[in-house]
């Protein structure tokens, strides 16, 4: 038993914790939970908690079902929405095979493996997500259009607005759990919210995103509302993304910063961007994993649909911000493609792997896009060497299938399962007759 385990066991008594929830995610990023009594926790730290992996999406075939959930004591937190007494706590888990080796199907281990590779190259990977979502008056019935909680727009301050009170309660709960929030505001669509988490190492951020999505849904339900991270719930309004700022550090030094360089961006930073741009089409099926994700990317505005980068260009896939040009540790790049409905462990692992590949092989950064990429013609984009992202999930799957980088980063099991699941989703989607087809064709065909 280490110091962290001892701290958790003492906290159980001091805080009157009666239930401990062990959290982990499946391959698609859905949160899973098993509750144990405090008396069982010491044994769980030593040996893990056994469960049937075949019952979890993507974890195991029936004949190899036994798995262990090993709680990570560094992630111990009290769940504030469960009340103070008796209290309920949670910890994230690493998933192990019966012999104690990491499970090939654990998304958290996929990210840990990518972070270890970065560490061997001397880097620590930090991420800072801007998470967008919609807040509705209630869960819509099947076939009904969801009703937003307001008609406000970007940065609007609405007197006695329900969104403001909602964001305040969410942020209070997050901070009670040790998750720091940097900004919050109303986004561009009616009922659309944005809450930005403060930067942290990528593993902590991925855990925080899973907690964030749970807190948002819990607060919404407690207020009689419904929150959704669906990338594009409305045709006529902006979609919800998760613009993610990333940076690499070498010790205490930001590896992306070079004083006097163009945009203060170092050679390492430029090669990292080049790697992400080069491999983004291959990883898009993971960073944008749902059929609906491509409705957001095709919508224009601030959602990217082309592989390019720019300085403060919000139509570009990768943006190099300059908020604090003379503060080296704030140097970073922003990936604007990722949406909030992804599996953050897999998404971060692949963005990191793509950037590291660019550094390892000295990829050359193409010229930046200075114009609004959406306003250019197709021929102009071709002349500038700006290629499109996959247009739909089918294209994204086909591109991912041929990617050695994705297969190596995810591992064979996760890679194969993810592709099988997404092919099935695309097949279900493409066989549906939509209201659009009925409205357009029925009157004239």
């Amino acid at each position: 038993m280490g110091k962290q385990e001892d701290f958790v066991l003492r906290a159980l008594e001091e805080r009157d914790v009666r239930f401990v929830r062990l959290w982990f995610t499946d391959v698609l990023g859905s949160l899973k939970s098993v509750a144990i009594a405090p008396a069982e926790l010491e044994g769980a730290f030593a040996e893990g908690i056994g469960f049937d992996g075949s019952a979890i999406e993507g974890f195991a075939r029936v004949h190899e079902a036994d798995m262990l959930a090993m709680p990570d004591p560094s992630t111990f937190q009290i769940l504030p929405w469960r009340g103070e007494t008796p209290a309920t706590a949670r910890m994230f888990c690493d998933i192990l095979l019966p012999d104690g080796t990491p499970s090939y199907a654990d998304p958290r281990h996929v990210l840990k493996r990518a972070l270890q590779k970065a560490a061997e190259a001397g880097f620590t990977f930090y991420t800072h997500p801007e998470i967008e979502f919609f807040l509705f008056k209630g869960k819509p019935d099947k076939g009904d259009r969801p009703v937003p909680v307001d008609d406000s727009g970007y940065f609007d301050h609405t007197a006695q607005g329900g969104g403001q009170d909602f964001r305040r309660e969410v942020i209070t709960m997050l901070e009670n759990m040790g998750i720091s929030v940097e900004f919050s505001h109303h986004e561009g669509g009616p009922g659309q919210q944005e809450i930005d988490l403060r930067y942290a190492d990528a593993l902590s951020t991925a855990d925080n995103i899973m907690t964030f999505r749970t807190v948002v849904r819990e607060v919404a339900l407690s207020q009689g509302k419904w929150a959704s991270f669906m990338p594009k719930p409305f045709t006529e309004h902006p979609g919800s993304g998760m613009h993610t700022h990333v940076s690499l550090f070498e010790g205490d030094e930001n590896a992306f910063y070079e004083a006097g360089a163009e945009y203060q961006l170092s050679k390492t930073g430029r090669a990292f961007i080049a790697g992400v741009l080069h491999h983004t089409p291959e990883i898009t099926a993971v960073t944008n994993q749902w059929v609906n994700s491509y409705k957001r990317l095709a919508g224009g505005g601030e959602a990217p649909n082309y592989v390019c980068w720019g300085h403060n260009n919000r139509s570009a896939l990768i943006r190099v911000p300059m908020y604090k040009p003379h503060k080296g540790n704030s140097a970073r790049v922003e990936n604007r493609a990722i949406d909030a409905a992804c599996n953050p462990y897999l998404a971060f692992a692949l963005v990191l792997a793509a950037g590291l590949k660019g550094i390892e092989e000295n990829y050359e950064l193409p010229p930046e896009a200075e114009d609004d990429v959406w306003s250019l013609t197709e021929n102009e984009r071709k002349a500038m060497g700006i290629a499109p992202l996959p247009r739909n999930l089918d294209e994204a799957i086909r591109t991912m299938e041929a990617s050695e980088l994705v297969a190596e980063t995810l591992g064979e099991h996760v890679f194969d399962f993810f592709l099988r699941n997404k092919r099935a989703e695309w097949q279900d989607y493409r066989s549906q007759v939509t209201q659009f087809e009925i409205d357009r064709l029925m009157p004239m065909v």
Side-chain angles (χ1 to χ4, degrees):
M1 296 288 286
K3 291 182 179 179
Q4 288 181 325
E5 288 88 349
D6 288 340
F7 168 80
V8 171
L9 294 174
R10 288 198 307 272
L12 295 180
E13 294 185 15
E14 294 169 0
R15 301 292 296 273
D16 190 25
V17 175
R18 303 286 181 84
F19 299 94
V20 180
R21 291 185 177 173
L22 305 183
W23 285 3
F24 58 96
T25 68
D26 67 14
V27 172
L28 298 181
S30 295
L31 186 66
K32 303 297 179 180
S33 176
V34 57
I36 64 172
E40 303 299 318
L41 190 55
E42 188 169 352
F45 282 142
E47 300 178 354
I49 295 294
F51 69 98
D52 180 4
S54 67
I56 306 298
E57 194 79 57
F59 264 34
R61 293 178 288 271
V62 173
H63 66 271
E64 52 186 24
D66 292 338
M67 290 196 175
L68 298 170
M70 186 67 69
D72 179 348
S74 69
T75 65
F76 176 83
Q77 288 291 346
I78 303 295
L79 299 181
W81 64 86
R82 300 303 300 171
E84 293 189 5
T85 54
T88 300
R90 73 94 164 100
M91 278 179 286
F92 282 96
C93 293
D94 295 308
I95 305 303
L96 307 181
L97 298 175
D99 63 3
T101 59
S103 168
Y104 42 77
D106 181 12
R108 202 167 187 260
H109 179 64
V110 170
L111 178 54
K112 281 187 169 185
R113 197 167 56 222
L115 294 173
Q116 179 60 36
K117 184 175 180 181
E120 290 168 0
F123 297 119
T124 306
F125 185 48
Y126 288 91
T127 57
H128 153 55
E130 303 173 354
I131 310 175
E132 298 172 347
F133 58 95
F134 277 87
L135 191 60
F136 302 118
K137 290 184 177 179
K139 182 179 181 181
D141 292 329
K142 190 172 183 179
D144 289 347
R145 179 183 171 92
V147 180
V149 295
D150 58 51
D151 292 319
S152 301
Y154 188 67
F155 267 42
D156 277 357
H157 180 90
T158 307
Q160 298 183 358
Q164 292 168 196
D165 293 339
F166 173 85
R167 293 194 301 272
R168 181 176 61 191
E169 186 171 345
V170 167
I171 292 167
T172 299
M173 284 194 179
L174 290 171
E175 293 186 336
N176 285 342
M177 298 182 71
I179 299 173
S180 298
V181 172
E182 191 167 28
F183 300 113
S184 70
H185 58 85
H186 198 287
E187 252 299 333
Q192 191 178 28
Q193 319 294 320
E194 177 177 313
I195 299 177
D196 302 354
L197 304 185
R198 190 172 294 279
Y199 88 98
D201 68 274
L203 182 63
S204 296
T205 304
D207 288 342
N208 290 345
I209 290 168
M210 297 306 302
T211 304
F212 176 93
R213 296 199 298 219
T214 302
V215 170
V216 165
R217 292 184 179 113
E218 291 283 355
V219 173
L221 289 170
S222 73
Q223 296 183 1
K225 302 181 178 74
W226 184 259
S228 175
F229 296 92
M230 182 177 177
K232 183 75 169 173
F234 298 110
T235 301
E236 68 274 24
H237 298 303
S240 291
M242 188 173 73
H243 302 161
T244 301
H245 298 249
V246 304
S247 57
L248 290 178
F249 274 69
E250 294 179 285
D252 295 330
E253 300 294 323
N254 191 323
F256 286 178
Y257 177 75
E258 181 182 329
E262 186 179 23
Y263 308 139
Q264 320 301 318
L265 188 62
S266 69
K267 180 181 178 181
T268 296
R270 297 175 70 84
F272 185 94
I273 296 172
V276 173
L277 291 176
H278 181 81
H279 293 287
T280 281
E282 303 165 34
I283 72 176
T284 300
V286 174
T287 58
N288 306 83
Q289 71 167 350
W290 307 102
V291 290
N292 181 254
S293 297
Y294 298 84
K295 304 294 177 69
R296 167 185 165 253
L297 294 178
E302 294 191 358
N305 200 18
Y306 297 94
V307 180
C308 60
W309 74 282
H311 166 59
N312 275 346
N313 184 344
R314 295 179 185 272
S315 69
L317 171 69
I318 299 294
R319 185 174 74 94
V320 180
M322 287 278 285
Y323 292 125
K324 300 174 183 176
H326 303 297
K327 188 176 179 182
N329 280 354
S330 69
R332 61 198 186 277
V333 299
E334 179 186 15
N335 187 315
R336 300 178 62 80
I338 305 172
D339 65 42
C342 72
N343 182 329
Y345 301 101
L346 303 185
F348 288 170
L350 288 172
V351 170
L352 174 59
L356 289 178
K357 193 73 169 178
I359 295 171
E360 291 167 5
E361 301 194 5
N362 295 313
Y363 286 10
E364 184 175 347
L365 186 63
E368 70 173 298
E370 298 180 354
D371 301 313
D372 177 0
V373 182
W374 284 95
S375 68
L376 301 174
T377 66
E378 198 66 38
N379 286 335
E380 287 173 330
R381 284 190 287 265
K382 286 181 179 178
M384 296 172 67
I386 298 176
L389 284 172
R391 305 287 184 175
N392 52 49
L393 184 59
D394 182 47
E395 284 189 20
I397 291 167
R398 293 175 188 274
T399 308
M400 175 177 160
E401 284 174 332
S403 172
E404 292 183 7
L405 178 106
V406 177
E408 179 183 344
T409 303
L410 297 186
E412 181 182 357
H413 182 92
V414 173
F415 182 74
D416 289 344
F417 172 81
F418 194 93
L419 286 172
R420 285 201 309 272
N421 183 280
K422 293 295 120 180
R423 288 191 201 103
E425 181 183 344
W426 175 253
Q427 185 59 37
D428 288 345
Y429 173 75
R430 68 190 294 265
S431 65
Q432 296 297 314
V433 177
T434 66
Q435 192 63 43
F436 172 87
E437 294 165 278
I438 294 172
D439 293 344
R440 174 68 65 91
L441 300 177
M442 190 70 72
M444 63 180 187
V445 175

